[in-house]
Amino acid sequence: MRLNEVGIFLFFVSCALVNNFIFSRFLGNCPYLGVSNKLSTATGMGIAVTFVMGLSSLFAYIVYTYVLVPLDLKYLDTISFILIIAALVQFVEMFMRKSLPALYSALGIYLPLITTNCAVLGVTLVNMKEGYNLIESVLSGVFGALGFLLAIVLMAGIRERLELSDIPESFKGFPICLIIAGMMSLAFFGFQGLVK
């Protein structure tokens, strides 16, 4: 779907809700399940992923369009995109270590794992596959990341409330988390067909 065909609001709905990276494309589940214990860490991770996805979409478009295509090196797109993402994650990690040490400590190993977050690489590859221009690529990255942020914050809110709930012993911890993730996926499936 192209931005000029549907407008910015429906493009947002398509990227964040209909084609949500976690519930529709099943990308980015490791940080989604691993960091969604607390609302504060989930929000921090979602913002960090939003920053990285937006900038990686921008730089991936520039590298693909102005370097790989003219030199007929399109087959190096995945490697190039991984290098771009790794550099951006290092930048975010250094910034958080200096500016937000509490959040940096809370995110722990999951912050460097943004480099291998399938959703971040997936958005760059989807942008090139769909033939998005620069603005559509950046908006697709930012809107897709906002969908990731929405999903991880909703899950964190539910998991915080579940800590106070009476859950059978066999479902406590990760099993109930998977059940909730499945229910949320079904709920997001209701958005399918909203935007074609």
Side-chain angles (χ1 to χ4, degrees):
M1 166 186 11
R2 303 305 296 255
L3 179 61
N4 58 357
E5 296 171 357
V6 295
I8 195 161
F9 178 72
L10 286 180
F11 193 72
F12 167 77
V13 169
S14 172
C15 295
L17 301 177
V18 175
N19 297 311
N20 186 286
F21 279 99
I22 292 182
F23 299 126
S24 178
R25 299 179 190 227
F26 306 108
L27 298 173
N29 285 313
C30 178
Y32 169 70
L33 295 172
V35 183
S36 61
N37 291 330
K38 294 184 179 173
L39 203 52
S40 59
T41 55
T43 304
M45 174 60 91
I47 291 170
V49 167
T50 302
F51 179 76
V52 171
M53 282 177 82
L55 284 180
S56 66
S57 296
L58 170 71
F59 291 126
Y61 177 85
I62 291 169
V63 167
Y64 185 81
T65 304
Y66 298 109
V67 177
L68 298 179
V69 171
L71 297 175
D72 197 29
L73 298 172
K74 290 189 276 188
Y75 60 91
L76 294 176
D77 60 353
T78 304
I79 294 170
S80 303
F81 298 164
I82 289 172
L83 289 173
I84 291 167
I85 293 164
L88 288 170
V89 169
Q90 288 301 311
F91 173 73
V92 168
E93 192 173 357
M94 288 186 304
F95 174 78
M96 281 188 155
R97 188 179 311 154
K98 292 281 186 188
S99 303
L100 305 163
L103 181 59
Y104 175 79
S105 297
L107 290 176
I109 188 66
Y110 291 100
L111 186 58
L113 284 179
I114 294 175
T115 303
T116 58
N117 185 340
C118 302
V120 180
L121 179 60
V123 74
T124 58
L125 294 172
V126 166
N127 291 344
M128 297 311 125
K129 179 184 164 233
E130 294 292 328
Y132 288 159
N133 62 31
L134 179 65
I135 302 230
E136 290 170 332
S137 293
V138 173
L139 288 178
S140 172
V142 171
F143 292 163
L146 290 175
F148 177 87
L149 173 67
L150 174 68
I152 198 169
V153 166
L154 286 174
M155 177 59 105
I158 292 170
R159 286 179 78 175
E160 281 187 354
R161 295 196 66 142
L162 284 175
E163 292 294 321
L164 305 172
S165 299
D166 186 26
I167 299 170
E169 193 64 37
S170 60
F171 288 112
K172 285 187 179 178
F174 201 63
I176 194 70
C177 180
L178 290 176
I179 291 170
I180 297 301
M183 294 170 96
M184 288 177 67
S185 182
L186 286 172
F188 270 72
F189 188 68
F191 293 115
Q192 296 298 316
L194 189 63
V195 180
K196 301 231 181 215

